[in-house]
Amino acid sequence: RYYEYMFGQSRRRGPGPGPLGARAEPELLQLEVVIESPEPGCYGFPHLRSSEAYHLTVTEPVAILKADEVWGALRGLETFSQLVHEDDYGSFLVNESEIDDFPRFAHRGILLDTSRHYLPLKSILTNLDAMAFNKFNVLHWHIVDDQSFPYQSIYFPELSDKGAYSYNLIYTPADVRLVIEYARLRGIRVIPEFDTPGHTQSWGKGQKGLLTPCYSGEQPTGSFGPVNPILNTTYDFMTQFFKEISSVFPDAYIHLGGDEVDFNCWKSNPDVQQFMKKQGFGYDYAKLESYYIQKILDIVSSYNKGHMVWQEVFDNNAQLKPDTVVEVWMENNYAHELSSVTKAGYTAILAAPWYLDYISYGQDWKKYYRVEPLHFHGSEEQKKLLIGGEACMWGEFVDATNLTPRLWPRASAVGERLWSSSNVTDLQDAYKRLTKHRCRML
Amino acid sequence: AEDEVSWGTPCTELLVFVATPGCDEFPSLDSKESYKLSVSEGSLLLSADAVWGALRGLETFSQLVGRDENGTYYINETEIVDFPRFPHRGLLLDTSRHYLPLRAILETLDVMAYNKFNVFHWHIVDDPSFPYESFTFPELSKQGAFNAMTHVYTASDVQMVIEYARLRGIRVVVEFDTPGHTLSWGPGAPGLLTPCYSGKDPSGTYGPINPILNSTYQFVTSLFKEVSAVFPDLFIHLGGDEVDFTCWKSNPDISAFMNEMGFGDDYRKLESFYIQRLLDIVSSLSKGYIVWQEVFDNGVKVRPDTIVHVWKEGSPPYMEEMANVTKAGYRALLSAPWYLNRISYGQDWMAAYQVEPLKFEGVAEQKERVIGGEACMWGEYVDVTNLAPRLW
């Protein structure tokens, strides 16, 4: 595909050694790609510790791209393709270069929300391409939420049967496999998020008894709240469900959500109130939330998956495993949150200043670019625990008709911030490169 | 199945009756767009005074047609008498800040028709680029377009837009904004723009059109002669907004002229001097004109049938400006609260919807002078990759 990217737009295309016109000296005949590790990783999946470093030497007659693992080769190939340019006569040129490159942060993600609006497969794949152009390496797939449940579960087909917007706005197991493989070929991990106990209205349609019935006085109102944390059936369901998720999604991590749990419904429910008494939680529903989360974390751990959670799970003092990744998303004083999370010894990723769904007039890419993730109070060790960040494109006002122009090239600013060295901060220089890069992406 | 609705008599034909023929003409500000739509058992009738009303009625009819789960097309029994509140319902596209390929413009015209818009305000040239291929002055686009081969509108492109619009009952009102917003005119028309000075010497940069030279008015006459012939609509938008006086002030020849004319230090008088001559030129070409509000605000003497386009949100607040403009006897167009290029998070369509164009202090005659408004999609951050989802 990189051949297409570099030479595909050319007017002069034909079979043969290359689209070069008159043989001009000096000439670059070949890009040799060398992967050094005995385990290059071509048949495996990328992970947090994958090596994405590469060394690129462009000189005549043969350029060499060296990387430890295939993931670094992919990054280097992207860079090489950006170095190749076409002159006015249709000749392809590349400057003699020596590049030694590696990412500053290991987790560089994009969040897509396919519940508020369904995103057809094509849309997701186009964005995976765009992510690769910007060296993003994580697709955080916020696949289900209150509004709809498009994930077609094998064990629980009713979930999407009843919970999707319609029978054809779903992701079948084949669709999911396609996304995972398309991502893998671009060195992108797919981390699915099944957000509970809040954000689960759509789950209740296909799984009766899962959500908490809300009460008005003595009577159920007919509406439902978060997942019901007091029933054994809840955990039986989750055990089965996450068994499936763990096998369908190969990444080492699953995002378990845990954000914005509204306690009102729990408070109204007499069985829940009784449970609170029994457990000695008093009126502190955060304790009930943590009780639930802990059980889910244990379930997911038993399948040998690591967890990512939104910051509330940490804020509400749930017992987290030491390798839990906490995603900081609340804008208010996020630097302080980063300090707290890392001080407690947990790994963190930053999303708070990068909610790209919050559009505004003008060149807002600059404010995303200016973010310095390590600008928080903490020791060296603490700073090491910040492993990266994510640009989020929540779907309330986004679907296939506007996803791509809304996300790009603004997300490119985040991509550079997460990959490049901390001293790459000059906005004017970034502007020049970003405008060219945008045209290239088109 | 037992629950099936029993459909009435199938209808196969929508009869369209137009009282006054006029399919070969261009729509105008006075075009009648009213229509009546009668849907009853076995009879579908659309009647209108003019073909323009028939177009609007056809659009409505197409929106009434539904389809059930079995694939049957149906329409409810309906009686509609409809006509627009305002005769000028426009959309502005800016093809200078970013070039818009023909297909983007044509697509926009389609969606305008779906929404019963009837004026395409084509802000075709501005500071950043001059994509309009002029046959009188071919150098303008040769030197001023982003790319003279790929980023221009040829004569046939322009004709296509005009005809495509006409078939949808949409007028094309072109804007050649002067004397400001003209940097791209400079390379193809040497001597047109004012050379700015740094002290005694030209700084190398240029400002608005030079209002003191006869050559300027010869150029303007020739250009607008062409524009008047190419664009059939009665109205041309002449711009006149945001004229930056700094360059004029720096130029010694202009200072001398200001003295000669007794304008003192008031450069608005110089701006008015230019605009008045421009208006006279355009009038002599039998065209009407629309101008941005500054022309009115700066006290330029304009003809009574001038249309003033209100775009500034504050100083004065736009409703006050609407009152002032209509009080002075001019017709007004409202755009100030409808700058759709100023995006924001959430359902901002509501803010646009809640605008009430006649909500200002004034007598009935004043209110009648508000002929409509325009949604504007300025192109600083817009090109074909994001135009449609940003606008609609």
Side-chain angles (χ1 to χ4, degrees):
Chain A
R1 64 178 178 275
Y2 274 95
Y3 188 91
E4 265 297 313
Y5 294 152
M6 290 186 278
F7 308 116
Q9 303 300 320
S10 163
R11 287 147 266 144
R12 298 213 251 140
R13 275 207 75 196
L20 298 171
R23 296 262 119 143
E25 306 292 342
E27 202 184 321
L28 181 65
L29 295 170
Q30 206 180 57
L31 171 69
E32 215 177 85
V33 181
V34 178
I35 298 173
E36 319 227 71
S37 164
E39 300 280 317
C42 295
Y43 300 106
F45 287 92
H47 55 89
L48 185 59
R49 307 250 131 62
S50 294
S51 167
E52 293 179 282
Y54 64 91
H55 192 98
L56 180 61
T57 308
V58 180
T59 184
E60 57 144 346
V62 171
I64 302 192
L65 168 59
K66 248 193 224 164
D68 205 34
E69 293 177 2
V70 68
W71 320 112
L74 285 172
R75 304 299 167 236
L77 201 47
E78 176 57 41
T79 298
F80 180 76
S81 75
Q82 295 185 18
L83 294 173
V84 174
H85 53 281
E86 197 176 348
D87 73 7
D88 294 330
Y89 304 100
S91 302
F92 289 91
L93 306 169
V94 62
N95 285 351
E96 203 166 315
S97 330
E98 186 85 28
I99 295 177
D100 199 9
D101 196 13
F102 58 91
R104 180 179 176 202
F105 292 104
H107 182 118
R108 308 179 305 282
I110 294 280
L111 179 151
L112 288 185
D113 169 1
T114 57
S115 173
R116 275 57 181 266
H117 283 92
Y118 179 78
L119 291 177
L121 218 49
K122 178 156 166 228
S123 204
I124 299 178
L125 300 184
T126 301
N127 276 282
L128 285 170
D129 278 330
M131 284 168 67
F133 299 154
N134 292 272
K135 297 190 174 72
F136 277 98
N137 65 356
V138 175
L139 171 65
H140 173 166
W141 192 352
H142 187 90
I143 188 167
V144 299
D145 202 298
D146 282 329
Q147 285 83 348
S148 73
F149 196 106
Y151 172 75
Q152 189 175 55
S153 160
I154 305 155
Y155 289 159
F156 302 99
E158 294 277 289
L159 286 171
S160 61
D161 271 354
K162 301 265 159 52
Y165 279 133
S166 78
Y167 70 88
N168 59 337
L169 297 183
I170 59 170
Y171 302 107
T172 64
D175 293 335
V176 174
R177 272 197 297 274
L178 179 58
V179 170
I180 292 171
E181 179 63 5
Y182 200 90
R184 186 186 80 84
L185 292 173
R186 287 154 181 75
I188 297 171
R189 302 164 52 201
V190 178
I191 301 181
E193 177 184 349
F194 285 91
D195 192 352
T196 69
H199 286 281
T200 45
Q201 289 296 300
S202 66
W203 300 49
K205 307 240 167 74
Q207 188 68 17
K208 301 270 178 274
L210 179 67
L211 304 183
T212 313
C214 311
Y215 274 68
S216 186
E218 311 269 297
Q219 299 302 326
T221 62
S223 61
F224 298 89
V227 171
N228 196 332
I230 75 176
L231 303 175
N232 283 335
T233 48
T234 293
Y235 302 104
D236 293 337
F237 167 81
M238 291 296 173
T239 302
Q240 277 277 78
F241 186 74
F242 279 104
K243 183 172 180 194
E244 174 183 324
I245 301 307
S246 300
S247 75
V248 167
F249 291 90
D251 197 80
Y253 284 82
I254 298 182
H255 200 303
L256 302 171
D259 62 314
E260 298 181 311
V261 184
D262 183 357
F263 296 149
N264 285 328
C265 186
W266 282 350
K267 284 180 184 167
S268 74
N269 183 302
D271 297 323
V272 175
Q273 289 162 12
Q274 232 186 16
F275 185 83
M276 289 286 285
K277 273 208 193 81
K278 243 171 61 184
Q279 297 282 324
F281 290 158
Y283 290 107
D284 188 357
Y285 283 80
K287 291 206 167 88
L288 181 58
E289 187 192 342
S290 300
Y291 167 87
Y292 167 84
I293 292 277
Q294 264 150 234
K295 291 187 82 151
I296 299 301
L297 296 183
D298 288 339
I299 289 170
V300 173
S301 293
S302 74
Y303 298 122
N304 277 323
K305 294 287 191 184
H307 337 97
M308 282 180 56
V309 291
W310 294 109
Q311 66 180 78
E312 287 97 317
V313 174
F314 166 80
D315 296 341
N316 292 345
N317 299 315
Q319 301 277 53
L320 303 175
K321 299 264 183 309
D323 60 349
T324 307
V325 179
V326 177
E327 185 158 9
V328 174
W329 69 272
M330 293 175 160
E331 263 229 274
N332 204 1
N333 221 344
Y334 66 81
H336 184 252
E337 181 75 3
L338 286 176
S339 299
S340 312
V341 169
T342 52
K343 185 147 182 226
Y346 297 108
T347 323
I349 57 172
L350 180 60
W354 290 323
Y355 266 34
L356 302 196
D357 56 312
Y358 285 150
I359 58 172
S360 57
Y361 178 68
Q363 293 200 48
D364 56 358
W365 68 272
K366 293 185 182 177
K367 83 172 172 227
Y368 303 132
Y369 194 77
R370 281 197 197 102
V371 172
E372 173 35 68
L374 296 187
H375 258 164
F376 64 91
H377 288 306
S379 64
E380 278 296 312
E381 270 76 51
Q382 271 178 266
K383 307 250 169 154
K384 286 208 190 97
L385 290 173
L386 180 57
I387 56 167
E390 295 187 343
C392 301
M393 186 46 79
W394 294 102
E396 284 86 347
F397 303 106
V398 173
D399 69 8
T401 65
N402 64 355
L403 171 63
T404 305
R406 191 166 285 204
L407 188 50
W408 309 99
R410 296 190 305 143
S412 302
V414 181
E416 176 151 300
R417 179 52 52 236
L418 291 173
W419 174 282
S420 295
S421 172
S422 60
N423 61 3
V424 177
T425 53
D426 185 84
L427 280 170
Q428 279 174 344
D429 178 66
Y431 176 82
K432 288 195 202 114
R433 291 180 291 106
L434 183 58
T435 45
K436 285 218 187 75
H437 184 56
R438 172 182 180 260
C439 289
R440 210 168 27 224
M441 288 201 281
L442 292 173
Chain B
E2 275 80 50
D3 304 346
E4 247 179 54
V5 179
S6 64
W7 296 114
T9 322
C11 5
T12 53
E13 228 174 38
L14 169 71
L15 284 173
V16 182
F17 173 73
V18 176
T20 317
C23 294
D24 296 329
E25 280 145 36
F26 287 94
S28 72
L29 184 57
D30 309 312
S31 292
K32 296 213 186 82
E33 294 178 281
S34 55
Y35 66 91
K36 284 203 184 87
L37 187 58
S38 267
V39 176
S40 61
E41 184 126 7
S43 154
L44 305 170
L45 180 61
L46 166 60
S47 61
D49 278 338
V51 69
W52 318 113
L55 285 173
R56 303 298 167 236
L58 203 46
E59 175 56 41
T60 297
F61 179 77
S62 76
Q63 294 183 19
L64 293 173
V65 175
R67 198 171 187 194
D68 72 4
E69 323 85 63
N70 300 319
T72 310
Y73 292 99
Y74 66 87
I75 184 168
N76 285 350
E77 202 165 314
T78 322
E79 239 0 88
I80 295 179
V81 174
D82 195 14
F83 55 90
R85 181 180 176 200
F86 294 106
H88 182 121
R89 305 179 305 281
L91 195 84
L92 179 151
L93 285 187
D94 169 1
T95 57
S96 174
R97 275 55 181 266
H98 282 92
Y99 179 77
L100 291 176
L102 205 56
R103 70 172 194 277
I105 299 178
L106 300 184
E107 194 176 78
T108 304
L109 289 169
D110 276 331
V111 192
M112 282 171 68
Y114 303 155
N115 290 271
K116 297 189 172 73
F117 277 99
N118 66 357
V119 175
F120 170 41
H121 174 165
W122 193 350
H123 188 90
I124 190 169
V125 299
D126 201 298
D127 283 328
S129 75
F130 196 105
Y132 172 76
E133 243 180 28
S134 159
F135 57 83
T136 319
F137 300 106
E139 289 294 299
L140 283 172
S141 62
K142 272 221 188 82
Q143 306 287 337
F146 281 133
N147 180 311
M149 296 298 299
T150 56
H151 289 53
V152 287
Y153 301 107
T154 63
S156 85
D157 291 337
V158 172
Q159 288 312 308
M160 176 158 320
V161 169
I162 293 171
E163 178 64 3
Y164 201 89
R166 186 186 80 83
L167 291 172
R168 286 151 182 77
I170 298 171
R171 301 162 51 201
V172 178
V173 173
V174 73
E175 177 185 350
F176 281 87
D177 192 353
T178 68
H181 286 282
T182 45
L183 284 181
S184 67
W185 304 42
L192 179 69
L193 304 183
T194 311
C196 311
Y197 274 66
S198 189
K200 298 258 154 100
D201 304 298
S203 66
T205 58
Y206 295 88
I209 285 185
N210 195 333
I212 74 176
L213 304 175
N214 281 336
S215 52
T216 291
Y217 300 101
Q218 279 159 11
F219 171 86
V220 164
T221 303
S222 302
L223 180 67
F224 278 94
K225 195 162 174 198
E226 172 184 323
V227 170
S228 300
V230 168
F231 292 89
D233 197 80
L234 173 60
F235 286 87
I236 300 184
H237 200 303
L238 302 176
D241 61 314
E242 298 181 311
V243 184
D244 183 359
F245 296 148
T246 320
C247 186
W248 282 351
K249 284 180 183 167
S250 75
N251 183 301
D253 296 322
I254 296 206
S255 309
F257 185 82
M258 291 285 287
N259 255 336
E260 237 179 79
M261 303 293 290
F263 289 162
D265 240 344
D266 190 357
Y267 282 80
R268 291 182 315 157
K269 294 207 167 92
L270 181 59
E271 187 191 348
S272 302
F273 173 81
Y274 167 83
I275 297 271
Q276 259 148 235
R277 289 185 70 170
L278 172 64
L279 298 184
D280 288 341
I281 290 168
V282 175
S283 294
S284 73
L285 295 165
S286 300
K287 290 289 192 185
Y289 38 77
I290 310 178
V291 290
W292 295 111
Q293 67 181 79
E294 285 96 318
V295 173
F296 167 79
D297 295 343
N298 291 347
V300 181
K301 282 203 206 49
V302 299
R303 286 197 348 189
D305 59 353
T306 307
I307 298 177
V308 177
H309 200 159
V310 177
W311 69 272
K312 291 180 166 180
E313 280 221 84
S315 50
Y318 66 85
M319 273 315 172
E320 218 177 280
E321 179 76 0
M322 295 292 282
N324 295 342
V325 168
T326 50
K327 186 146 181 226
Y330 302 108
R331 285 175 293 179
L333 276 178
L334 181 60
S335 280
W338 291 325
Y339 265 37
L340 303 191
N341 54 309
R342 295 201 153 260
I343 57 173
S344 57
Y345 178 69
Q347 295 202 49
D348 53 0
W349 68 274
M350 294 186 184
Y353 194 78
Q354 286 171 317
V355 172
E356 174 35 69
L358 299 187
K359 199 161 166 198
F360 60 88
E361 301 265 314
V363 302
E365 279 89 42
Q366 270 176 270
K367 308 259 170 145
E368 268 158 41
R369 292 191 193 111
V370 178
I371 57 168
E374 295 189 351
C376 299
M377 185 47 79
W378 294 103
E380 283 87 348
Y381 303 106
V382 172
D383 69 9
V384 69
T385 66
N386 64 355
L387 171 65
R390 192 164 285 206
L391 191 47
W392 307 102

